[in-house]
Structures are given as structure tokens and as C-alpha cells.
């Protein structure tokens, strides 16, 4: 992935994808619950933070089962953008995310930069995590993913490291992944939301950057629920206790891995990772988060990011960070 550290979208730089070409292979991208299209950025690009002729996923909010024409959670697309920006506060490698609109339908969403195909990157291929789960678990149900588990993922990681194939530290990668997901409350790191990128040089492989992070940040909560959680510690505790990773620790476990306790459990197995996670959580301050969130309230889009939701996302994220640090530092 090329250096994309400097990308920044201002409120007056909303991308209109109405005239973007659809990728010749994917008019509707087939993976995931939300409607998404694989598009090609025009040349010249509309803004300098977009890459001409690069692929981007346009993602909409999940539609209602009762009324497919309406979103179930209209503000969900903001979670994808906020997760990207929080990831950057943690100095993680994430594909850039920008808010956008299809003006022909007045449909807001995000354009998520595809993490392959950058200029000069050479020949690469992406192998989703589901491929490895199917190889190691006979009869693995890829649609439901009930047997998705961290132990099998770590078996794959160790095997690749043993052969000298991996280009980075898998223990750090998965520790940061679990920590990031716990911080934002991401419950959707299923077998299609991680994978390996293989190059022909060697061959060599690296894990994908952390992508598809929008099922997070309390996006599903209505205003009354948000207000109650900010007033009532018991309601907040119950919500946070119910938070679980999509995966289990081991295939036969009855319960999925709890978000915060799962990070602490990982660090018991790999204690050298603990200082890195603590440092990444301490590496940004409350004002950094609130300034970023408040800036998003300036974007003029359907289903805007309100000041009330900005305050709640800050409250929820800081509460999760505090609990993560307590679990890691004690």
C-alpha cells in the first residue's frame, strides 16, 4: 500500500460518484451485507485526495428488510469514515475512506479506497480469509461463518511466518486488529474482512490493511437510546458487555470472543504485544477525537452527522478506551 498518510477531505469536498465508471467486473460488489459498487475514479480526479483510475467501493447504509428502498440505519455510512479516522489516530494502516453521494438518487455513502492496484505495486492477488478457513476446517460454512475462530487464523499466521513468507509481524498485526475492533466496537471481522495479499516476489505475503469497519461505533442506536446510555451507567455497562468479536477463540467455543476481554486474553498468550497496544491507545488525546468528530458535523449530506451523535461517539469511544487500558494495564 502506497503512502496515503496525508489524505484529508474537507466539508466542501464531498465526492459525487454519479459519473464514475463502474468496474467492468463488478457492477454490484458481491461481498457483505451492504449495497456496494466497485467504481473507477475518473482522470482527472475530482479532488487531490483521490487517485485517478484507481478502484473505490461505494458503500451505502444497510437497507431495511421490510422496505428495501429505505436504509435500516441511515447514519451508518458515517461509522465507516469515523473508524478510518480513529484508526489513523492509532497509527494503523487502513485504506482511506471518504464520504460521497450518488446525486442521481440522492444516496449518501462512502467511497472506500481499494487496497491493491496502486501505481508501481506490481502484480498482486488478494486471497480472502475465508479461503484459508475452508482449507483448514472441513465443511466450513462460509455464509454463516459460525466456525470462524482466532486459533485457526493464528495457525495460518504461524505457518506463513515459519516459511519466511510474511513480510511483517503477525502477532502485532492481530493484536492491533483485536484492539482496534474493541475500541470502535466492530462486530464484523468475519472471514471476508481479512485476508492476505500475495506478490510474485518470492512469493511474499502480507495481511490486508484493516478494512470494512462500519459495523461499529453505535451506528445502530437511536437518539433516545444514546441519551439513556450517557445518563445510565447500567445501560452502558450492559451494552459494552454484549460486545463480541465476530470470531470465537477456538472452533468449539460456545461464545464469541468478547471485545475487550478478548484483547486481554490475546495479550496473555502474547505478552510482548501488550506495551504496543497500550502505547497506541495512549497515543492520542480526547481533544484529538472530539475535534475530528466535530469536523464531520460540517458536511452537508442526507442523514447528516449530528452534534448529538458526535458527542455520543466520543463518549462511547473514550469509555471503551478506558476499559481497554484498565484490562491491559492491570
Amino acid at each position: 500500500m502506497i503512502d496515503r498518510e496525508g489524505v484529508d477531505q474537507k466539508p466542501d469536498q464531498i465526492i459525487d460518484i454519479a459519473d464514475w465508471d463502474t468496474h467492468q467486473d463488478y457492477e454490484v460488489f458481491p461481498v457483505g451485507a451492504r449495497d456496494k459498487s466497485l467504481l473507477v475514479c475518473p482522470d482527472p480526479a475530482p479532488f487531490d485526495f483521490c487517485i485517478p483510475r484507481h478502484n473505490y467501493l461505494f458503500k451505502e447504509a444497510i437497507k431495511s428488510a421490510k422496505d428495501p428502498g429505505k436504509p435500516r440505519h441511515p447514519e451508518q455510512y458515517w461509522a465507516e469514515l469515523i473508524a478510518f479516522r480513529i484508526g489513523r489516530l492509532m497509527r494503523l494502516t487502513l485504506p482511506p475512506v471518504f464520504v460521497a453521494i450518488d446525486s442521481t438518487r440522492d444516496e449518501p455513502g462512502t467511497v472506500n479506497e481499494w487496497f491493491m492496484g496502486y501505481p508501481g505495486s506490481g502484480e498482486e492477488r488478494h486471497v480472502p480469509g475465508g479461503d484459508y478457513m475452508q482449507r483448514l476446517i472441513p465443511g466450513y460454512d462460509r455464509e454463516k461463518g459460525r466456525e470462524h475462530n482466532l486459533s485457526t487464523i493464528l495457525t495460518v499466521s504461524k505457518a506463513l511466518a515459519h516459511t519466511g513468507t510474511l513480510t511483517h509481524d503477525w502477532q502485532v498485526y492481530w493484536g492491533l486488529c483485536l484492539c482496534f475492533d474493541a475500541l470502535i466496537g466492530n462486530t464484523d471481522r468475519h472471514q471476508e474482512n481479512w485476508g492476505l495479499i500475495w506478490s510474485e516476489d518470492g512469493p511474499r505475503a502480507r495481511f490486508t490493511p484493516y478494512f470494512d469497519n462500519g459495523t461499529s461505533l453505535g451506528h445502530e442506536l437511536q437518539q433516545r437510546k444514546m441519551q439513556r446510555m450517557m445518563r445510565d451507567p447500567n445501560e452502558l455497562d450492559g451494552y459494552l458487555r454484549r460486545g463480541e468479536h465476530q470470531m470465537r477463540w477456538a472452533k468449539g467455543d460456545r461464545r464469541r470472543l468478547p471485545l475487550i476481554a478478548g484483547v486481554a486474553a490475546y495479550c496473555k498468550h502474547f505478552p510482548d504485544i501488550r506495551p504496543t497496544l497500550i502505547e497506541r491507545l495512549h497515543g492520542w488525546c480526547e481533544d484529538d477525537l472530539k475535534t475530528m468528530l466535530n469536523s464531520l458535523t460540517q458536511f452537508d449530506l442526507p442523514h447528516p452527522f449530528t452534534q448529538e451523535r458526535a458527542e455520543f461517539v466520543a463518549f462511547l469511544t473514550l469509555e471503551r478506551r478506558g476499559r481497554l487500558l484498565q484490562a491491559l494495564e492491570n
Side-chain angles (χ1 to χ4, degrees):
M1 185 169 171
I2 65 173
D3 181 12
R4 300 288 283 138
E5 287 298 320
V7 297
D8 186 35
Q9 181 183 26
K10 300 294 193 298
D12 62 349
Q13 295 177 317
I14 296 170
I15 300 169
D16 187 349
I17 57 89
D19 295 326
W20 284 32
D21 290 334
T22 302
H23 190 280
Q24 60 183 356
D25 294 330
Y26 297 111
E27 181 174 357
V28 178
F29 199 72
V31 177
R34 285 194 277 163
D35 289 345
K36 59 191 79 170
S37 304
L38 188 60
L39 306 176
V40 181
C41 179
D43 187 6
F47 301 107
D48 59 6
F49 52 78
C50 299
I51 302 176
R53 299 183 297 277
H54 193 76
N55 294 333
Y56 289 80
L57 278 175
F58 178 61
K59 301 179 67 173
E60 307 170 14
I62 294 177
K63 296 299 186 287
S64 168
K66 294 182 179 179
D67 187 352
K70 295 182 179 179
R72 187 194 313 168
H73 306 299
E75 297 89 2
Q76 182 179 8
Y77 69 95
W78 290 105
E80 195 85 43
L81 174 62
I82 297 166
F84 160 64
R85 296 197 177 193
I86 289 177
R88 284 296 172 88
L89 290 178
M90 289 183 68
R91 305 196 317 279
L92 302 178
T93 301
L94 285 82
V97 176
F98 311 107
V99 286
I101 191 167
D102 182 347
S103 61
T104 63
R105 299 181 292 132
D106 202 31
E107 181 71 52
T110 58
V111 285
N112 298 23
E113 193 169 289
W114 192 241
F115 47 77
M116 293 173 57
Y118 289 103
S121 60
E123 289 294 323
E124 294 182 323
R125 60 187 177 93
H126 170 229
V127 181
D131 286 20
Y132 298 98
M133 304 305 287
Q134 284 186 314
R135 292 175 196 174
L136 292 177
I137 301 176
Y140 184 85
D141 186 340
R142 198 154 172 168
E143 181 177 349
K144 296 180 179 178
R146 289 183 179 139
E147 293 180 298
H148 190 221
N149 71 92
L150 187 59
S151 296
T152 299
I153 291 171
L154 299 184
T155 296
V156 173
S157 305
K158 292 174 188 176
L160 291 169
H162 182 71
T163 60
T165 301
L166 277 182
T167 60
H168 57 143
D169 188 322
W170 61 268
Q171 293 185 17
V172 172
Y173 174 90
W174 284 111
L176 288 171
C177 182
L178 294 174
C179 187
F180 174 55
D181 284 345
L183 178 66
I184 64 173
N186 181 21
T187 59
D188 201 36
R189 189 70 59 197
H190 55 70
Q191 67 275 344
E192 312 304 333
N193 281 351
W194 64 273
L196 284 155
I197 300 172
W198 290 85
S199 70
E200 301 305 318
D201 180 20
R204 304 282 277 168
R206 67 186 189 278
F207 282 104
T208 55
Y210 310 123
F211 67 95
D212 205 355
N213 307 304
T215 308
S216 60
L217 295 161
H219 74 275
E220 79 285 4
L221 300 175
Q222 300 300 316
Q223 185 172 353
R224 288 183 181 178
K225 180 72 170 179
M226 293 189 296
Q227 291 173 346
R228 288 202 306 270
M229 285 177 58
M230 293 178 74
R231 293 194 307 263
D232 185 349
N234 292 327
E235 189 145 4
L236 175 65
D237 285 342
Y239 180 76
L240 294 181
R241 279 199 308 270
R242 291 190 295 272
E244 297 177 336
H245 292 283
Q246 198 280 343
M247 65 187 78
R248 291 161 170 76
W249 183 277
K251 182 168 68 73
D253 290 352
R254 296 182 61 184
R255 185 186 173 187
R256 291 179 178 178
L257 191 63
L259 283 172
I260 293 173
V263 178
Y266 184 87
C267 288
K268 287 183 179 178
H269 285 79
F270 307 105
D272 291 345
I273 306 305
R274 188 186 304 267
T276 298
L277 305 189
I278 292 172
E279 190 273 331
R280 297 297 181 95
L281 291 169
H282 274 304
W284 48 276
C285 68
E286 181 176 334
D287 285 346
D288 294 331
L289 176 67
K290 291 183 175 180
T291 298
M292 178 271 288
L293 292 170
N294 288 334
S295 72
L296 300 184
T297 66
Q298 305 304 310
F299 285 78
D300 183 13
L301 281 163
H303 311 299
F305 188 66
T306 64
Q307 187 63 42
E308 291 78 13
R309 190 166 288 273
E311 292 173 3
F312 175 74
V313 171
F315 167 79
L316 189 62
T317 304
L318 292 168
E319 182 67 29
R320 284 192 172 116
R321 181 174 72 165
R323 296 186 185 210
L324 274 166
L325 286 169
Q326 184 179 24
L328 292 170
E329 291 177 335
N330 294 333

